[in-house]
């Protein structure tokens, strides 16, 4: 019989006595324990040895346990100090602690165990040691000493020490190896040790050495390291899918600056210049030169809408309107700035109805970070320009859009935006928590917005949160799971966006 070298060594070592553990075999053969374990399993599979497994517990003192084994348990030291200071009478706590040389957390440990173990009473700042208590008979102290000396101790005391974190118990599997009858026979008949190799080389082929070596077997069941390729972030994947869906619904994509003039971000939207959202608290203002490239006639019409209103009903705000403020640059808080650029004709020229446009782009808001708010997030912006649009068209568009993502239960709540009338917030139900979460905002642009832009028909528009759509699709409930340093890597790795 021919066997790999390590198996022959183990078999020989195992034959020396009745039963040997892996550790003993490793020592006897000078092989690594894991090599011995591998050889033992191969030998067992060939029926040459049998293996019995027993689980052993070993108990180890923690650092704190070692310290108490040397210096004494804190409660015992407290008791002794109390007797010393008070000669058997009650003593002031502060005095005893000073005399006991206990420090920091040990004082609390001493006090809580003092009363529990009957060393005395603690009453309004005084410590009364019990004269009958016997620290020499302290079971826990005795057990610590025994363990330090390598002796066994009673299970109950061990539980107690473990609950005080003075010991840790570890379980180990001990494997004992015995030669089987076949093993004994094989050894008697003689076993040849074959050099084992794990790969064939050209030299082995030319020298003919390949005929004498033993090849290690492939273990196709061994745990292999996990290999992970790169992949697109699920947010990006979902954004791509949103774009596909909207293109499929006949929309064209808008593009434009992340840092833009307040004119496009707010003034065109009939947002009064003293609106709270336009203050320095909410706005990420940039210290860069103002925007020059804005059509003068458009500025005039927007200014006039703010000051005097448009049409017969509107009255405007009559508050000051500053062109400098309108030209100042900030990070966009919504992508409705893009809708303004496109609707005004500034981007792609005058548009004839019907038209549909969208963007899936980042926006920036000075919000407080929490499970549903980030300082930057993706907005799904969109608008439809056509004659005679109604709220039904708006709702129908959302129902169609969200149904592509398996979301069929959209709810609408009347809302107020300075730039749309009527306006609606959209809500969807979270698949895990059942909560209604806000997923977007929408409405029909007002006359005060459309007229300065030169648009003569209806425009319905919206801004939806991409991250919230993801929450509804995948059920996570903290937006920070998909963004930033706290993101949930497993979620990001395992979630596949369905196409
Ligand atoms: N700009 C709005 C927001 O950020 C969304 C919106 C866009 C609402 C267009 C109505 C019309 O919440």
């Amino acid at each position: 019989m021919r066997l790999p070298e390590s198996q022959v060594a183990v078999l020989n070592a195992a034959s020396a006595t009745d039963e040997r553990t892996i550790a003993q075999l490793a020592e006897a053969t000078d092989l690594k324990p894991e090599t011995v374990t591998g050889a033992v399993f191969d030998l067992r599979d060939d029926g040459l040895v049998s293996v019995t497994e027993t689980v052993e517990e070993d108990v180890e003192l923690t650092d704190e346990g070692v310290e108490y084994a040397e210096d004494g348990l804190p409660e015992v030291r407290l008791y002794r100090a109390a007797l010393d200071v008070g000669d058997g009478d009650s003593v002031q706590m502060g005095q005893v602690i000073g005399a006991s040389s206990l420090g920091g957390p040990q004082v609390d440990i001493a006090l809580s165990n003092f009363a529990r173990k009957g060393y005395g009473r603690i009453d309004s700042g005084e410590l009364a040691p019990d004269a009958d208590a016997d620290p020499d008979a302290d079971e826990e102290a005795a057990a610590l000493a025994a363990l330090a000396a390598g002796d066994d101790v009673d299970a109950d005391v061990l539980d107690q020490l473990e609950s005080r974190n003075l010991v840790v118990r570890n379980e180990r599997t001990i494997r004992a190896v015995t030669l089987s009858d076949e093993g004994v026979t094989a050894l008697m008949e003689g076993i040849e040790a074959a050099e084992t190799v794990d790969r064939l080389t050209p030299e082995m082929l030319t020298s003919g050495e390949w005929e004498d070596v033993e090849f290690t077997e492939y273990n196709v069941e061994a745990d292999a390291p996990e290999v992970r390729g790169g992949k697109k972030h699920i947010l990006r994947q979902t954004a791509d899918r949103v774009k596909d869906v909207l293109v499929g619904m006949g929309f064209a994509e808008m593009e434009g600056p992340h840092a833009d003039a307040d004119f496009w971000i707010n003034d065109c939207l009939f947002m009064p210049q003293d609106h709270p959202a336009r203050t320095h608290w909410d706005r990420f203002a940039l210290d860069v030169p103002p925007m020059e490239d804005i059509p003068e006639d458009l500025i005039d019409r927007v200014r006039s809408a703010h000051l005097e209103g448009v049409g017969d009903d509107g009255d405007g705000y009559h508050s000051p309107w500053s062109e400098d403020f309108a030209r100042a640059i900030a990070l966009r808080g919504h992508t409705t700035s893009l809708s303004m650029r496109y609707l005004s004709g500034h981007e792609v020229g005058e548009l004839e109805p019907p038209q549909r446009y969208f963007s899936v782009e980042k926006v920036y808001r000075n919000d407080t970070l929490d499970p549903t708010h980030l300082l930057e997030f993706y907005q799904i912006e969109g608008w439809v320009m056509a004659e005679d649009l109604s709220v039904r068209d708006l709702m129908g568009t959302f129902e169609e859009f969200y149904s592509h993502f398996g979301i069929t239960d959209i709810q609408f709540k009347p809302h107020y935006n300075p730039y749309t009338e009527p306006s609606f917030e959209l809500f969807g139900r979270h698949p895990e928590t059942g909560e209604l979460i806000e997923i977007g905002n929408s409405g029909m642009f007002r006359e005060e917005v459309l007229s300065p832009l030169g648009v003569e028909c209806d425009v319905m528009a919206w801004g939806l949160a991409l991250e919230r759509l993801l929450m509804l699709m995948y059920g996570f409930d903290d937006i920070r799971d998909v963004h930033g340093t706290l993101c949930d890597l497993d979620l990001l790795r395992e979630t596949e966006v369905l196409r």
Side-chain angles (χ1 to χ4, degrees), residues 269 333-337 339-340 363 365 377 379 381-383 415 417 419-420 423-424 438 440-445 460-464:
L269 283 159
H334 54 198
T335 35
T336 320
S337 51
S339 302
M340 295 303 104
V363 301
R365 286 190 196 173
F377 59 95
Q379 221 170 24
E381 189 80 25
W383 52 264
H415 185 59
N417 293 315
Y419 40 95
T420 48
S423 312
F424 301 92
E438 190 199 323
N441 177 12
S442 66
M444 315 289 292
F445 279 131
M460 62 187 201
W462 55 85
L464 317 173

Side-chain angles (χ1 to χ4, degrees), residues 448-480:
E448 286 88 342
V449 173
L450 295 179
S451 161
L453 296 173
V455 175
E456 272 154 19
C457 60
D458 292 333
V459 178
M460 62 187 201
W462 55 85
L464 317 173
L466 180 67
E467 287 82 353
R468 304 280 178 91
L469 168 63
L470 250 79
M471 286 169 109
L472 296 191
M473 288 167 70
Y474 304 114
F476 59 87
D477 53 17
D478 192 326
I479 215 157
R480 292 165 294 191

Side-chain angles (χ1 to χ4, degrees), residues 95-116:
Q95 258 182 302
V96 193
I97 290 169
S100 69
S101 75
L102 291 168
Q106 287 190 348
V107 174
D108 286 337
I109 296 171
L111 291 173
S112 64
N113 288 295
F114 183 85
R116 171 180 71 87

Side-chain angles (χ1 to χ4, degrees), residues 125-156:
E126 297 232 329
L127 211 86
D130 183 340
D132 296 333
D134 180 7
D136 291 328
D138 191 300
E139 276 194 322
E140 292 172 21
L144 273 185
L147 289 169
D151 296 332
D152 287 341
V153 302
D154 198 58
D156 287 346

